[in-house]
């Protein structure tokens, strides 16, 4: 998947294009949900996920990242959505999440979930909503 974005950026699911060192630095040093994540754990997560990179069209520099953990049949977990601080404010986060939604649509997943502490409006713009019946959901691990 390579699609031209209207503002001089492109989206790709090609794992060979990912700047693994840069993405690890973004997440482990700047993303509240992944602070301190080891490079080994990061690389394993990337390896086992469907990855999306956002790149500047002219320079090819990576400016965004997200990944989906999915069976491509029934369920997906959208996570590690990150836009470089210098590239924020251009709507790239919303465009990235919408492109991921559209990429997953043909698989007919019953649900795609995510967790966010601060970007509810970004996800709401592309159709995400709070759980209607959160009482039936359970969690094993960190709250």
């Amino acid at each position: 998947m390579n699609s031209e974005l209207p503002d001089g950026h492109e989206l790709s699911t090609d794992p060979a294009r990912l700047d693994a060192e840069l993405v690890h630095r973004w997440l482990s040093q700047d993303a509240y949900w992944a602070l301190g994540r080891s490079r080994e754990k990061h690389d394993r997560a990337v390896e086992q996920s469907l990855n999306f990179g956002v790149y500047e069209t002219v320079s090819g520099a990576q400016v965004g990242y997200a990944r989906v953990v999915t069976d491509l049949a029934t369920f997906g977990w959208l996570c590690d959505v990150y836009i470089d601080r210098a590239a924020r404010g251009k709507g790239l986060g919303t465009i990235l999440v919408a492109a991921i939604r559209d990429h997953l649509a043909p698989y007919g997943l019953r649900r795609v979930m995510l967790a966010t502490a601060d970007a509810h409006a970004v996800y709401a713009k592309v159709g995400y909503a709070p759980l209607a019946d959160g009482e039936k959901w359970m969690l094993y691990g960190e709250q």
Side-chain angles (χ1 to χ4, degrees), residues 11-137:
L11 182 71
S12 176
T13 58
D14 180 358
R17 288 191 69 184
L18 293 175
D19 184 336
E21 183 178 329
L22 175 65
V23 173
H24 175 254
R25 186 171 60 248
W26 284 340
L27 297 176
S28 68
Q29 295 178 15
D30 192 43
Y32 68 85
W33 64 90
L35 292 175
R37 183 183 291 170
S38 73
R39 179 62 190 267
E40 176 186 2
K41 188 169 282 214
H42 169 75
D43 289 347
R44 196 167 14 137
V46 168
E47 204 173 281
Q48 300 299 320
S49 299
L50 176 58
N51 298 278
F52 296 82
V54 179
Y55 305 88
E56 291 181 345
T57 307
V58 176
S59 71
Q62 187 168 357
V63 296
Y65 175 76
R67 66 187 181 93
V68 178
V69 180
T70 183
D71 58 11
L72 294 177
T74 62
F75 180 80
W77 179 261
L78 175 59
C79 54
D80 289 344
V81 178
Y82 188 93
I83 300 296
D84 185 283
R85 287 189 175 275
R88 292 181 187 173
K90 301 174 185 178
L92 291 174
T94 302
I95 292 167
L96 173 58
V97 174
I100 292 169
R101 176 202 60 206
D102 296 346
H103 182 86
L104 295 174
Y107 296 102
L109 304 182
R110 183 169 180 197
R111 64 180 53 93
V112 177
M113 298 187 68
L114 63 86
T116 184
D118 60 356
H120 296 82
V122 170
Y123 299 105
K125 287 178 191 175
V126 297
Y128 284 84
L131 289 175
D133 186 9
E135 293 176 8
K136 70 179 178 181
W137 294 92

